[in-house]
Amino acid sequence: MARDPFKIKRADPLLVQIVIGVLLLLVVGLLATYVLRPGRSPAEDARTAAAIGSMDEAQVEADERREEKRSAAALL
């Protein structure tokens, strides 16, 4: 006898609950990792601010050198 092609085979309810539970644990674990990650220290913030300031100074100097080259080339 041939199988009924329109018959729907349902997944095992226990398997579905296990999969949902594992996914829920994964989400909770990721959220806990995000919440409990180490915070930034004031020293790290100060180093970051100093690095940004030095990068800004270097950019200003590079812009000035570039402008000097452009004006020198324009005078030629």
Side-chain angles (χ1 to χ4, degrees), residues 14-74:
L14 182 62
L15 179 65
V16 172
Q17 289 178 353
I18 290 172
V19 169
I20 290 173
V22 168
L23 291 175
L24 183 63
L25 284 175
L26 179 68
V27 168
V28 169
L30 289 173
L31 284 173
T33 302
Y34 177 75
V35 169
L36 298 175
R37 73 187 188 278
R40 294 171 48 162
S41 67
E44 183 181 339
D45 290 341
R47 283 193 304 266
T48 302
I52 290 172
S54 65
M55 285 190 302
D56 288 343
E57 289 174 15
Q59 184 65 47
V60 168
E61 291 173 6
D63 289 343
E64 288 172 354
R65 286 192 304 268
R66 192 176 307 119
E67 188 60 37
E68 288 174 4
K69 287 181 182 180
R70 284 184 190 148
S71 62

